[in-house]
């Protein structure tokens, strides 16, 4: 028997989009050339004809304009990435807000967190492959961040890019992207499935379950749905139009191009960092990059280690097989929403320039407002969420004691009016654990 609830499907959605990525990725490898050697473009897209560019971009443009169905496959690959990142993120949030990370499932949490980090790595290496101006800009930011590491920065950049930036990053990222990271992801999915099936899966208190046969048929349907969404999106919605960006150029900076939404929080943290500096052994070290890198690393470390932190804080070392509702644990839910607020402010700050231009606001004022929000927002979110959860608990108690309001008003013999309540239904099946 498997628990039956829509919120338990995000892991499956992530896996099905991963399958789509493998299938579309294999087709892409047939046409894509992972090389930075220069050629002059003479393909179908007239505005770029005659322009020198790498073979990587040249082959991506040919894939988009000259290979039948090539653009569709590229876009299905990209849309599947977005579905996969979103599904893993939602899966992690679901585990958090329902306490699905507690013993004996602490390892599951680490596996899902690992999936998220490796998928972000796969997405970053993938978007770098076309070698266009947008991906070149994000690699330039990455190079800047590495270079800002005190003492070893230049060496780190040299190792990653295989020489002085931009080096031959494509031939380094390509094997990572098509072999190493997908294999790691496959192993993580296998570990997740093994850990999930080793014992009965955790379920909600309503105890709704479905048989393995129903779960299998639903799974097949869900795969068809995920594939359908990725294909319809790929066929109708343009994504990553590299022909508009042109070839990467380390000496140029593209305006109005932002990072992919799943990496935007990192970019936002860079924008919000104050330009503080310290002098160590006669060397000036800028905190403008170190501070946001440190803060984001700490944030991710807290997320990764949450099951262990939670156990320390609550002292609860028992096994749990019944999931909680977010309102059942106001403080934990509050901490989750505080974390989301922190992430959300960083995320929004990555679009500060666009917001400033669109709404005719001062960029400096906007960044200052985001800085304040980053500090004030999370505790305020924790406080508010906790109050809302307590309010919901009170409403649950009122329903349990007095029943559900029916909206039917009757007049009493003494002339007063009362609303008729019907008794709240008692769950017919109690959880098996
Ligand atoms: C598993 C997770 C994967 C993720 C998250 C991912 C993500 C991406 C992304 C975002 C791009 C840029 C697409 C674009 O041009 O708009 C890309 C490009 C590419 N990917 Fe993947 N990919 C994955 C797996 C694979 C696999 C398994 C293969 C091959 C077996 C593959 C082959 C390629 C190739 C050849 C390109 C360059 C072609 C192009 O950019 O159009 N990918 N990938």
């Amino acid at each position: 028997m498997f628990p039956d609830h829509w919120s338990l499907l995000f892991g499956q959605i992530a896996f099905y989009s991963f399958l789509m990525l493998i299938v579309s990725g294999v087709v892409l490898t047939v046409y894509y050339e992972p090389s930075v050697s220069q050629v002059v473009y003479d393909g179908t897209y007239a505005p770029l004809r005659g322009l020198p560019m790498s073979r990587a971009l040249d082959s991506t443009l040919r894939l988009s304009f000259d290979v039948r169905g090539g653009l569709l496959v590229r876009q299905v690959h990209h849309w599947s990435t977005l579905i996969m990142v979103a599904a893993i993120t939602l899966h992690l949030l679901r585990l958090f807000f329902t306490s699905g990370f507690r013993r004996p499932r602490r390892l599951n949490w680490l596996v899902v967190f690992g999936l998220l980090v490796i998928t972000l790595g796969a997405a970053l290496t993938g978007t770098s492959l076309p070698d266009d101006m947008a991906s070149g800009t994000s690699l330039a930011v990455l190079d800047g961040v590495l270079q800002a590491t005190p003492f070893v920065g230049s060496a780190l950049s040299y190792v990653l890019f295989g020489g002085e930036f931009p080096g031959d990053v494509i031939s380094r990222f390509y094997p990572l992207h098509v072999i190493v990271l997908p294999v790691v992801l496959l192993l993580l999915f296998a570990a997740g499935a093994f850990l999930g099936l080793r014992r009965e899966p955790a379920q909600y208190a309503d105890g709704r379950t479905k048989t393995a046969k129903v779960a299998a048929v639903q799974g097949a349907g869900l795969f068809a749905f995920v594939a359908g969404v990725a294909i319809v999106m790929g066929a109708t919605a343009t994504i990553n139009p590299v022909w508009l960006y042109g070839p990467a150029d380390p000496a140029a900076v593209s305006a109005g191009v932002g990072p992919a939404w799943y990496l935007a929080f990192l970019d936002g943290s860079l924008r919000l960092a104050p330009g503080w500096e310290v002098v160590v052994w006669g060397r000036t070290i800028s905190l403008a990059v170190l501070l946001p890198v440190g803060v984001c690393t700490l944030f991710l470390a807290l997320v990764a280690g949450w099951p262990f932190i939670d156990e320390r804080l609550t002292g609860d070392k028992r096994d749990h097989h019944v999931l909680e509702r977010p309102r059942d644990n106001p403080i934990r839910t509050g901490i989750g929403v505080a974390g989301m607020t922190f992430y959300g402010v960083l995320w929004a700050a990555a679009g500060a320039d666009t917001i400033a231009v669109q709404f005719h606001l001062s960029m400096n004022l906007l960044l200052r407002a985001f800085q304040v929000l980053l500090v004030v927002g999370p505790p305020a979110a924790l406080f508010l969420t906790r109050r809302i959860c307590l309010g919901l608990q009170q409403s649950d108690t009122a329903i349990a004691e007095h029943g559900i309001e029916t909206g039917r008003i009757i007049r009493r013999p003494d002339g007063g009016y009362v609303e008729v309540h019907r008794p709240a239904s008692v769950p017919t099946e109690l959880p098996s654990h």
Side-chain angles (χ1 to χ4, degrees):
M1 301 301 283
F2 288 87
D4 188 15
H5 196 271
W6 61 266
S7 66
L8 305 176
L9 297 176
F10 294 127
Q12 278 188 55
I13 295 177
F15 182 65
Y16 299 145
S17 39
F18 175 62
L19 292 184
M20 291 301 290
L21 277 163
I22 294 189
V23 174
S24 51
V26 168
V27 178
L28 291 179
T29 44
V30 176
Y31 301 98
Y32 173 78
E33 289 180 57
S35 158
V36 286
S37 67
Q38 295 287 302
V39 288
V40 174
Y41 179 70
D42 66 346
T44 310
Y45 187 65
L48 294 184
R49 234 180 262 151
L51 210 66
M53 59 179 66
S54 64
R55 277 189 187 282
L57 183 59
D58 181 70
S59 60
T60 309
L61 290 173
R62 283 177 199 284
L63 242 168
S64 307
F65 293 108
D66 303 299
V67 175
R68 262 172 210 236
L71 183 57
L72 177 67
V73 179
R74 257 196 73 214
Q75 303 210 132
V76 166
H77 197 72
H78 207 123
W79 277 111
S80 303
T81 304
L82 302 194
I83 297 174
M84 185 168 167
V85 178
I88 299 177
T89 309
L90 288 173
H91 188 44
L92 211 57
L93 287 173
R94 200 279 295 163
L95 283 177
F96 183 90
F97 285 112
T98 61
S99 299
F101 55 80
R102 292 175 299 177
R103 273 177 202 255
R105 298 183 176 79
R106 294 183 305 171
L107 220 53
N108 295 42
W109 171 272
L110 285 178
V111 167
V112 179
F113 180 79
L115 275 174
L116 182 64
V117 173
I118 303 293
T119 306
L120 292 184
L124 178 74
T125 49
T127 35
S128 305
L129 294 182
D131 199 27
D132 60 301
M133 189 59 218
S135 65
T137 307
S138 63
L139 287 180
V141 174
L142 180 63
D143 176 56
V145 169
L146 291 177
Q147 299 268 11
T149 316
F151 307 110
V152 290
S154 313
L156 281 181
S157 162
Y158 205 84
V159 170
L160 182 74
F161 294 106
E164 200 173 321
F165 179 79
D168 184 6
V169 70
I170 303 287
S171 62
R172 297 174 92 80
F173 275 11
Y174 189 64
L176 267 184
H177 184 79
V178 301
I179 299 282
V180 180
L181 297 177
V183 167
V184 176
L185 284 173
L186 202 61
L187 292 176
L188 284 172
F189 273 118
F194 173 75
L195 288 172
L197 296 177
R198 199 170 44 155
R199 56 176 69 86
E200 266 186 63
Q203 64 186 51
Y204 286 105
D206 66 7
R208 269 202 342 244
T209 52
K210 56 192 174 196
T211 61
K213 209 184 269 179
V214 170
V217 174
Q218 277 185 355
L222 191 59
F223 173 64
F225 182 73
V226 172
V229 169
I231 292 171
V232 168
M233 293 304 288
T236 56
T238 303
I239 190 147
N240 201 13
V242 286
W243 53 91
L244 297 182
Y245 310 144
D249 176 357
V253 172
S254 48
V257 176
W261 59 265
Y262 41 81
L263 295 174
F265 75 106
L266 298 172
D267 197 57
S269 70
L270 285 174
R271 293 180 187 216
L272 292 191
W276 295 332
E277 288 178 349
V278 287
V279 179
V280 180
W281 293 323
R283 278 175 184 245
T284 305
I285 294 178
S286 163
L287 297 185
V289 175
L290 277 187
L291 190 67
V293 168
V295 168
C296 287
T297 310
L298 183 69
F299 177 72
L300 291 176
L302 285 177
V303 175
W306 179 255
F308 308 93
I309 300 170
D310 187 273
E311 192 174 290
R312 250 306 153 83
L313 293 178
T314 58
D316 181 359
K317 292 191 178 350
R318 291 167 303 161
D319 279 0
H320 294 273
H321 301 287
V322 179
L323 298 171
E324 289 184 312
R325 286 189 306 170
R327 71 185 66 172
D328 297 339
N329 199 328
I331 295 278
R332 185 209 57 216
T333 303
I335 291 175
V337 177
M340 284 171 70
T341 308
F342 182 78
Y343 178 94
V345 174
L346 292 182
W347 184 79
D353 51 345
T354 312
I355 300 173
V357 171
Q358 293 294 329
F359 294 96
H360 306 290
L361 296 169
S362 144
M363 180 72 177
N364 287 344
L365 206 69
L366 202 61
L367 287 178
R368 183 67 71 213
F370 276 128
Q371 283 173 337
V372 173
L373 214 59
L374 191 68
V375 178
V376 179
L382 195 156
F383 174 78
L384 261 175
T385 310
R386 187 175 157 274
R387 296 297 320 161
I388 292 171
C389 288
L390 291 176
L392 288 169
Q393 282 185 5
Q394 277 172 7
S395 130
D396 282 351
T397 315
I399 289 174
E401 284 173 357
H402 307 294
I404 298 166
E405 294 175 359
T406 58
R408 200 154 62 82
I409 312 286
I410 55 166
R411 194 169 183 196
R412 287 201 312 243
D414 63 2
Y417 291 93
V418 286
E419 186 181 358
V420 180
H421 286 71
R422 68 178 161 78
S425 61
V426 178
T428 46
E429 257 180 279
L430 286 171
S432 51
H433 298 286

